[in-house]
């Protein structure tokens, strides 16, 4: 498997399981309807861990353009690979969104809220305020990038010890769960442009009953904010450590 294919499949798994738990909570007549924010954040953390386990040995399991750009900005990833990684991640996010649509096929028609349907695929603000929403996404992604570099540092997980491959994905999933619980309230914590843009495109193109608009006026925030945060978090880690 090539690194690009691994990034596509890993991001597809990430979105399939992550947006899948959102669908289970938001869509009507599911077994998990009204499960709440804790269910969503735990589900997303586990989704990240599973996706990283599947692809870490092949591509490094970035699964996130903000992570790819953050690593490249501090010399830990080649700039020549960045465009291909990002394209694969967005494509994987799109395919993951399609799989969620198929998995919950009868539930779209019985869910009256167009906002809930969009919320399965992409993030949105609790209070729409572009500057504040952008800051929140940047801070959350900076914490993600900072945490990733700390978790994977030789001081915590010695390279080639076995623990770095066997345990790191689980800790990364815990990190994403912590960000969701602590910082996810204002914007739904995209912290990943591909996680938002890919499924948002799926929402736009799929024949979802009563789906409404895809809120493209907000879509730039979960792209720009995480990119700023990912690069800032990486630069801060490098400067401090």
């Amino acid at each position: 498997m090539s690194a690009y294919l691994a990034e596509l499949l890993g991001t597809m798994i990430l979105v399939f399981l992550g947006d899948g738990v959102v669908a289970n909570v938001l869509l009507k007549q599911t077994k998990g309807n009204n499960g709440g924010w804790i269910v969503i954040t735990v589900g997303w953390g586990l989704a990240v861990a599973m996706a990283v386990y599947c692809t870490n040995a092949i591509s490094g399991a970035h699964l996130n353009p903000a992570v790819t750009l953050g690593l490249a900005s501090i010399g830990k990833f080649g700039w020549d690979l960045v465009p291909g990684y990002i394209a694969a991640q967005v494509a994987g996010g799109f395919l993951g969104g399609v799989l969620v649509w198929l998995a919950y096929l009868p539930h779209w028609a019985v869910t009256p809220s167009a906002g809930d349907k969009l919320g399965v695929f992409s993030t949105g603000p609790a209070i729409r305020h572009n500057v504040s929403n952008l800051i929140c996404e940047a801070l959350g992604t900076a914490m993600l990038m900072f945490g990733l570099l700390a978790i994977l540092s030789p001081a915590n997980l010695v390279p080639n010890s076995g623990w770095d491959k066997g345990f790191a994905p689980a800790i990364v999933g815990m990190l994403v769960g912590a960000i969701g619980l602590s910082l996810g309230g204002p914007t739904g914590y995209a912290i990943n442009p591909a996680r938002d843009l890919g499924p948002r495109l799926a929402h736009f193109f799929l024949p979802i009953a009563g789906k409404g608009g895809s809120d493209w006026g907000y879509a730039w925030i979960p792209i720009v904010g995480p990119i700023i945060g990912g690069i800032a978090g990486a630069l801060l880690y490098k400067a401090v450590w």
Side-chain angles (χ1 to χ4, degrees):
M1 185 186 296
S2 73
Y4 296 138
L5 180 57
E7 285 295 299
L8 184 149
L9 293 177
T11 312
M12 181 187 74
I13 293 167
L14 173 75
V15 171
F16 182 35
L17 296 178
D19 281 359
V21 72
V22 181
N24 196 20
V25 169
L26 294 184
L27 299 182
K28 299 302 182 185
Q29 298 183 36
T30 68
K31 299 292 187 179
N33 184 231
N34 294 321
W37 187 246
I38 305 299
V39 172
I40 289 174
T41 53
V42 171
W44 262 106
L46 293 172
V48 170
M50 294 305 104
V52 174
Y53 273 120
C54 288
T55 58
N56 188 35
I58 302 164
S59 67
H62 296 189
L63 315 181
N64 182 342
V67 171
T68 299
L69 290 168
L71 292 174
S73 70
I74 58 172
K76 289 184 175 292
F77 189 70
W79 283 104
D80 58 315
L81 297 175
V82 168
Y85 262 55
I86 292 177
Q89 291 156 1
V90 174
F94 178 88
L95 292 175
V98 172
L99 291 177
V100 172
W101 171 66
L102 289 172
Y104 285 88
L105 201 56
H107 295 274
W108 306 103
V110 299
T111 301
S113 171
D116 284 348
K117 293 171 187 176
L118 176 60
V120 170
F121 294 90
S122 58
T123 60
I127 298 175
R128 191 174 293 261
H129 186 273
N130 285 352
V131 174
S132 299
N133 302 151
L134 186 69
I135 290 171
C136 182
E137 284 293 332
L139 288 174
T141 314
M143 185 65 249
L144 172 68
M145 193 73 238
F146 196 86
L148 284 173
L149 290 169
I151 289 166
L152 300 174
S153 70
N156 287 317
L157 290 173
V158 178
N160 302 315
S161 65
W163 288 101
D164 55 328
K165 292 182 179 179
F167 200 42
I171 305 176
V172 171
M174 291 170 59
L175 171 63
V176 172
I179 292 170
L181 288 170
S182 301
L183 305 174
T187 61
Y189 76 118
I191 60 173
N192 182 342
R195 169 266 175 275
D196 192 275
L197 178 59
R200 195 183 296 267
L201 286 168
H203 176 272
F204 178 77
F205 285 109
L206 288 171
I208 302 167
K211 66 179 179 180
S214 300
D215 197 8
W216 292 108
Y218 179 79
W220 67 275
I221 290 176
I223 296 174
V224 175
I227 289 173
I228 294 171
I231 294 173
L235 291 174
L236 177 62
Y237 182 87
K238 184 178 181 180
V240 175
W241 266 266

